Amino acid sequence: MKMSNEENKLQIRKLSEVELQEVRWLWYPYIPYGKITIIQGDPGEGKTTLALRLAAACSTGQALPGMEIVEPFNVIYQTAEDGLGDTIKPRLMEAGADQDRVLNIVEETNSLTLLDERIEAAIVQTGAKLMILDPIQGYLGGKVDMNRANEIRTVLRNVAAVAERTGCAIVLVGHLNKATGANSAYRGLGSIDFRAAARSVLLVGRMKKEPNVRVIVHDKSSLAPEGKSMAFSLGDENGFRWLDGYNDITADELLCGFNAETKTAAAEELIRDLLSDGEKVPCETIFSMAASRGISQRTVNQAKKNIPEIVTTKPSKKWFWQIPK
């Protein structure tokens, strides 16, 4: 059937006619409403713990670090790896969740996929503002190859559209690949299009020298400046607790195991070199030079404590460091 000229007419819009939309946040700047967020990490490193803590906090209105307190709301939690009764429920109980508000789409006889219409139907029916699917590959369906970009784009375009229409924050939990030493952007399992579709990516990993410490790094942020890294303790006699002092750890440091001793020694060497002539040097210059070598501000400040001869002054608005001769 031949299309009429009117039906075949190309549609063009001016950006001046597009209405501005304000981004709403579940957890600024880490998880936006109406968008896809990915939480990724190696198995056993704490990404599911973070997802469950997030679900529990939303179900009770208890804020995570830096999160504004919200009214409790419904959360949909789907897991393709862990049992609901023997794993997920006990962990939610330990996290203090309101389990009447943590919901699950029944899929024993009909497995759920990211293209499934039940996802949007469940969000609309329950009024859920957060949906978590753990892990991503468990919800692709048997015919989708997670390494083929053209197939992944179709799936994620559908998920993004559901998030946009409903205003629900959709969080996908993913594993890392085994490409050790690669840039963090290429460590996600499957096609790079997973990362491209997400507006925010959180990387969770274990500290090499502190095995009970898990660090959360904001590895991608398309809608706001990247947030500071956070950390929590897991696996010791004190149970789960949030920790201070890990704000400056980068994604690459975390993926490399963050050998604090080596980094601190490198920072000390850099500081002594920059201050070797006895002149005052702005600490901003030292931080900038360290950053260019992959050394965080946190590590520089730690290294400074190991050099007692440093004199710190603030003659104007800037801080200066000096090792007097």
Side-chain angles (χ1 to χ4, degrees), residues 116-133:
D116 201 313
E117 293 179 354
R118 287 178 293 169
I119 288 179
E120 184 166 3
I123 293 171
V124 172
Q125 179 178 319
T126 64
K129 295 182 180 180
L130 170 66
M131 182 173 193
I132 300 171
L133 296 109

Side-chain angles (χ1 to χ4, degrees), residues 232-279:
F232 58 88
S233 180
L234 191 65
D236 61 17
E237 65 277 5
N238 296 312
F240 180 96
R241 66 188 187 282
W242 292 100
L243 303 173
D244 295 323
Y246 297 85
N247 292 345
D248 295 319
I249 294 177
T250 67
D252 290 336
E253 286 177 340
L254 187 61
L255 290 172
C256 292
F258 192 73
N259 191 329
E261 295 176 3
T262 302
K263 286 280 187 179
T264 303
E268 286 185 37
E269 183 179 354
L270 174 63
I271 294 169
R272 290 187 182 278
D273 183 54
L274 292 174
L275 303 183
S276 61
D277 60 4
E279 298 294 324

Side-chain angles (χ1 to χ4, degrees), residues 23-34 37 39 47 49-55 57-58 62-70 73 129-130 132 169 171 200 202 204 216-218 221 223-232 240 242:
V23 178
R24 295 173 56 248
W25 294 91
L26 168 58
W27 185 11
Y28 181 87
Y30 306 103
I31 301 178
Y33 282 117
T37 296
I39 298 175
K47 58 187 182 299
T49 295
L50 174 60
L52 289 169
R53 288 281 160 173
L54 174 65
C58 293
Q62 300 296 314
L64 298 181
M67 180 193 288
E68 293 186 8
I69 297 176
V70 297
F73 58 74
K129 295 182 180 180
L130 170 66
I132 300 171
V171 174
S200 180
L202 301 175
V204 183
I216 307 162
V217 176
H218 201 189
S221 181
L223 302 174
E226 291 177 359
K228 291 184 177 180
S229 298
M230 298 171 287
F232 58 88
F240 180 96
W242 292 100

Side-chain angles (χ1 to χ4, degrees), residues 188-237:
L189 192 63
S191 169
I192 190 68
D193 287 81
F194 283 111
R195 182 184 179 90
R199 300 299 83 197
S200 180
V201 176
L202 301 175
L203 175 65
V204 183
R206 187 192 303 255
M207 295 287 285
K208 184 176 181 179
K209 296 292 185 179
E210 302 171 87
N212 289 330
V213 175
R214 270 58 164 192
V215 177
I216 307 162
V217 176
H218 201 189
D219 194 34
K220 176 188 174 182
S221 181
S222 299
L223 302 174
E226 291 177 359
K228 291 184 177 180
S229 298
M230 298 171 287
F232 58 88
S233 180
L234 191 65
D236 61 17
E237 65 277 5

Side-chain angles (χ1 to χ4, degrees), residues 29-104:
Y30 306 103
I31 301 178
Y33 282 117
K35 308 293 180 184
I36 297 173
T37 296
I38 291 177
I39 298 175
Q40 61 185 17
D42 285 323
E45 297 290 76
K47 58 187 182 299
T48 296
T49 295
L50 174 60
L52 289 169
R53 288 281 160 173
L54 174 65
C58 293
S59 74
T60 58
Q62 300 296 314
L64 298 181
M67 180 193 288
E68 293 186 8
I69 297 176
V70 297
E71 289 294 321
F73 58 74
N74 287 342
V75 176
I76 298 174
Y77 195 101
Q78 299 298 131
T79 176
E81 289 187 340
D82 297 312
L84 291 177
D86 59 15
T87 303
I88 299 301
K89 183 169 183 173
R91 294 177 71 177
L92 283 171
M93 292 175 64
E94 192 273 332
D98 179 349
Q99 298 194 52
D100 284 334
R101 291 190 177 275
V102 183
L103 313 172
N104 177 262

